[in-house]
């Protein structure tokens, strides 16, 4: 397989990872995460039990988990798609190791990530939606997509042999500043994604229904124990086990985090706009940010409509990916520029 075909294999796999993220959000939001009480099968079958005989066997094996066919199919479709993604990532590794001049480190890291994702998927079921596992599973999905995007950018750059140059008025110092700001923006956004995952995993998304912060006296009742990753053991964590003040604390932290993230990203957009070659990235970041804020506000005022909530997850992933792309592009532009300055000093 030539580099050209390998590039499109990576592109298809990246698109598939976004579908897995969207379907994972839909599965979680439709309360189908425990649609199948076992893993990797469903009630002991490779697919959802459908005949009367199969459903009787399922009920006998799992008497506390009656079959809900719709939820079970939601969960199994997610597993099938995630498994397909894993196969594609395995193929990427096999091709990468057979070809010269193809990145190998990133494919290997991707394979390790998707294997760990499978383990987290199993734990999500066997640990009955333990919040830290659910949040980790979400972060793992975003990480998989981010690594695939990085691989796609690296392959594309290598194929085209792009050596980017800034305008003559650009300086190493100004580009370093943009690089540091982009890295900070990425770190803040990752933290906000984690807060969003923690909010969803603890069913805290609709405890505050008014803007801008919360109708509850959250300052009086703010409880740091809500952020303890290891919660007391329960038979199931579905629908949440934290009390109301703890859920309010999580929700408010997510809103405050959104405000901080917005400020940092707007500063980044302003900085990127100063470089003509980075203005496309500035528009991408600002567009994703505006859409994400709109979806977040809609979730609050409309009490978490399903499609809006799924969109909020997907656009959150897209926002994170635009920042990954921004960091990579700035790094790519800095490399030849740094070499130019070093050569000038040596000369």
């Amino acid at each position: 397989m030539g580099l050209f075909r390998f590039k499109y294999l990576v592109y298809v796999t990246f698109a598939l990872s976004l579908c897995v993220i969207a379907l994972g959000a839909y599965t979680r939001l439709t309360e189908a995460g425990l649609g199948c009480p076992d893993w990797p099968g469903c009630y002991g079958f490779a697919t959802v039990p459908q005949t009367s005989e199969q459903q009787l066997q399922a009920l006998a094996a799992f008497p506390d988990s009656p079959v809900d066919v719709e939820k079970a199919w939601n969960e199994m479709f997610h597993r099938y798609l995630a498994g397909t993604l894993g196969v594609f990532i395995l193929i990427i590794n096999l091709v990468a190791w057979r070809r010269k001049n193809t990145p190998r480190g990133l494919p290997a890291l991707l394979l390790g990530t998707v294997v760990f994702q499978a383990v987290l998927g199993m734990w999500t079921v066997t640990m009955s939606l333990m919040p830290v596992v659910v949040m980790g599973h979400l972060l793992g999905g975003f990480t998989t997509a981010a690594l695939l995007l990085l691989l796609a950018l690296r392959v594309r750059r290598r194929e085209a042999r792009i050596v980017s140059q800034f305008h003559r008025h650009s300086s190493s110092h100004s580009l370093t500043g943009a690089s540091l700001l982009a890295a900070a923006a990425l770190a803040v956004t990752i933290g906000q994604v984690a807060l969003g995952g923690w909010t969803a995993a603890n069913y805290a998304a609709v405890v505050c229904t008014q803007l801008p912060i919360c109708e509850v006296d959250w300052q009086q009742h703010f409880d740091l124990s809500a952020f303890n990753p290891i919660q007391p053991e329960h038979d199931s964590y579905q629908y949440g086990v934290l009390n109301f003040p703890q859920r309010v604390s999580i929700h408010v932290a997510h809103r405050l985090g959104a405000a901080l993230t917005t400020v940092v990203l707007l500063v980044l957009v302003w900085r990127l706009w100063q470089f003509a070659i980075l203005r496309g990235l500035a528009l991408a970041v600002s567009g994703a940010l505006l859409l994400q804020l709109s979806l977040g506000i809609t979730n609050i005022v409309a009490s978490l409509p399903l499609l809006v909530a799924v969109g909020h997850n997907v656009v959150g992933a897209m926002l994170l990916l635009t920042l990954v792309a921004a960091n990579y592009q700035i790094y790519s532009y800095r490399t030849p520029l740094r070499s130019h300055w070093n050569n000038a000093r040596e000369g």
Side-chain angles (χ1 to χ4, degrees):
M1 180 183 289
L3 187 60
F4 179 81
R5 292 182 179 179
F6 181 72
K7 178 182 71 173
Y8 282 99
L9 172 63
V10 175
Y11 286 177
V12 169
T13 308
F14 171 65
L16 184 60
S17 72
L18 296 180
C19 294
V20 172
I21 289 173
L23 187 55
Y26 182 81
T27 300
R28 184 179 69 254
L29 289 162
T30 55
E31 297 301 335
L34 296 179
C36 297
D38 52 341
W39 190 95
C42 189
Y43 291 92
F45 298 93
T47 184
V48 177
Q50 300 178 70
T51 66
S52 298
E53 181 181 353
Q54 289 176 337
Q55 292 192 5
L56 285 174
Q57 293 178 21
L59 184 61
F62 300 92
D64 296 328
S65 302
V67 179
D68 185 321
V69 174
E70 182 178 354
K71 289 184 178 181
W73 271 120
N74 287 351
E75 171 65 6
M76 289 308 294
F77 276 134
H78 180 231
R79 293 185 192 181
Y80 295 150
L81 197 63
T84 303
L85 175 62
V87 171
F88 271 68
I89 290 175
L90 178 60
I91 293 172
I92 286 174
N93 274 267
L94 294 175
V95 173
W97 281 97
R98 291 183 62 182
R99 291 191 75 262
K100 293 182 179 180
N101 301 321
T102 302
R104 294 178 178 178
L106 268 176
L109 182 58
L110 264 167
L111 187 59
T113 300
V114 80
V115 168
F116 187 54
Q117 267 292 86
V119 173
L120 287 171
M122 177 184 68
W123 287 347
T124 298
V125 176
T126 59
M127 295 185 178
S128 300
L129 303 181
M130 180 181 286
V132 70
V133 176
V134 174
M135 182 184 70
H137 198 43
L138 180 143
L139 291 175
F142 281 29
T143 300
T144 301
L147 291 174
L148 282 165
L149 176 61
L150 282 175
L151 181 59
L153 292 172
R154 284 194 63 188
V155 172
R156 179 183 176 186
R157 186 185 182 204
R158 183 167 296 185
E159 180 196 46
R161 299 184 182 276
I162 299 172
V163 179
S164 304
Q165 296 287 350
F166 268 94
H167 298 298
R168 292 182 179 180
H169 67 267
S170 299
S171 69
S172 177
H173 174 72
S174 64
L175 196 54
T176 299
S179 177
L180 291 174
L181 183 56
L186 178 60
V188 169
T189 302
I190 291 172
Q192 178 63 4
V193 168
L195 267 176
W198 193 243
T199 302
N202 285 283
Y203 296 83
V206 293
V207 293
C208 296
T209 59
Q210 295 182 13
L211 298 169
I213 304 297
C214 190
E215 66 272 19
V216 180
D217 184 7
W218 61 271
Q219 293 173 307
Q220 181 73 21
H221 297 95
F222 196 84
D223 188 352
L224 285 175
S225 68
F227 303 94
N228 187 347
I230 307 301
Q231 297 177 356
E233 186 175 350
H234 289 78
D235 291 337
S236 175
Y237 297 88
Q238 192 169 26
Y239 307 115
V241 298
L242 299 182
N243 60 37
F244 182 72
Q246 288 174 319
R247 297 191 200 205
V248 168
S249 300
I250 294 172
H251 187 106
V252 168
H254 185 49
R255 286 204 200 181
L256 295 177
L260 174 62
T261 303
T262 299
V263 171
V264 173
L265 293 189
L266 288 177
V267 174
L268 175 63
V269 168
W270 167 78
R271 193 73 183 95
L272 294 177
W273 192 259
Q274 296 179 341
F275 301 100
I277 201 168
L278 296 177
R279 287 182 178 175
L281 287 170
L283 290 173
V285 172
S286 58
L289 175 62
L290 179 61
L291 181 56
Q292 183 69 344
L293 289 173
S294 300
L295 290 170
I297 292 172
T298 303
N299 274 331
I300 294 169
V301 299
S303 297
L304 210 67
L306 178 59
L307 293 182
V308 175
V310 172
H312 193 54
N313 279 261
V314 175
V315 176
M318 297 303 296
L319 179 59
L320 181 67
L321 292 172
T322 61
L323 292 169
V324 170
N327 276 271
Y328 179 82
Q329 291 296 92
I330 293 172
Y331 171 80
S332 300
Y333 296 145
R334 282 185 66 196
T335 302
L337 187 61
R338 186 164 54 243
S339 300
H340 168 77
W341 282 92
N342 290 338
N343 292 336
R345 284 197 297 269
E346 292 173 1

